[in-house]
Amino acid sequence: MLETLITIAVLHWAVLILPGFNFLLIGQLAAAGKRSTALAAVAGMTAGTLMWAILAVAGVGIVFTAHPAIRQLAQVAGGLYLLQLAFRLWRSGKAPDAASAAAVPTHAGALRVGFITSALNPKIALFYGSVFATAFPAHPSNTLVGLAVAMVFLNSVVWHTGLAWALSRPAVQRAYLRHFRALNRGAGLLVGAIGLKLIAGTLLEFRSPGA
């Protein structure tokens, strides 16, 4: 059991430490506003991660494989949502101040964004499904399955919470506010690129003979 959990942990951490949209979102929120706002986004992200991990062990990856149209629809929805976020980032104006507190999302808004960006990414379920299928024995016990799901959830909480604390340091916030517009536009371009890549990849997959 321990060997299986270690294998899953290594694979999961190898993916977690790669900078991606979650890193970008946490960085934006942590540097732009209160640390608690970024932590609210972390709560949403990790809730979405837990949902996909549970669905993965329940066999949703098999469903996505057997019915790719379902996965493709979810991926297109996720890509469109990221494009909407990218548009909002690009149109950001001057840095937020006491008179412009609305520029920083509320806790509920950050929680919602964090959850939706994870919930609209079915590739997370495919990743967990492949990792679990690779690491699990032929007939894993309920205890092993429960521990594996709990572990990947805890890994996600630890990593993303650590990012929120590190990226909300005063020095980081001061640098962010000095270059607010440029950083937001750069972030918008990156988020938009991720969304377009997700949609384009899905459309190419849909058009291919094997789709």
Side-chain angles (χ1 to χ4, degrees):
M1 181 181 295
L2 181 59
E3 182 179 350
T4 298
L5 293 175
I6 291 175
T7 300
I8 294 173
V10 170
L11 292 172
H12 191 218
W13 275 104
V15 172
L16 278 177
I17 62 176
L18 292 175
F21 178 74
N22 285 353
F23 181 95
L24 185 63
L25 177 61
I26 293 172
Q28 288 288 108
L29 293 176
K34 296 180 179 179
R35 180 182 295 163
S36 58
T37 305
L39 291 176
V42 169
M45 290 176 188
T46 52
T49 296
L50 178 61
M51 177 193 75
W52 283 124
I54 293 173
L55 290 175
V57 297
V60 72
I62 299 174
V63 175
F64 283 157
T65 300
H67 303 283
I70 298 175
R71 172 177 52 82
Q72 290 163 353
L73 181 62
Q75 289 179 180
V76 170
L80 291 174
Y81 184 76
L82 292 182
L83 289 179
Q84 183 261 345
L85 285 180
F87 180 72
R88 290 172 58 189
L89 284 169
W90 181 264
R91 294 194 61 185
S92 295
K94 62 181 181 179
D97 52 27
S100 182
V104 180
T106 63
H107 291 166
L111 177 70
R112 182 173 60 253
V113 171
F115 179 77
I116 292 177
T117 53
S118 291
L120 290 179
N121 186 3
K123 289 187 176 180
I124 299 176
L126 294 176
F127 166 74
Y128 284 134
S130 62
V131 168
F132 291 154
T134 300
F136 280 163
H139 302 287
S141 65
N142 291 335
T143 300
L144 177 57
V145 171
L147 286 175
V149 170
M151 182 182 65
V152 296
F153 173 68
L154 181 61
N155 288 347
S156 183
V157 170
V158 169
W159 173 248
H160 292 111
T161 300
L163 284 179
W165 278 80
L167 296 175
S168 62
R169 305 294 297 174
V172 175
Q173 291 184 359
R174 287 193 295 270
Y176 175 80
L177 292 175
R178 283 198 302 270
H179 307 285
F180 178 82
R181 184 163 189 156
L183 288 173
N184 268 18
R185 288 198 161 187
L189 289 175
L190 288 174
V191 172
I194 295 171
L196 287 174
K197 182 179 179 182
L198 186 59
I199 294 173
T202 304
L203 293 178
L204 287 175
E205 180 185 348
F206 178 75
R207 294 178 58 185
S208 66

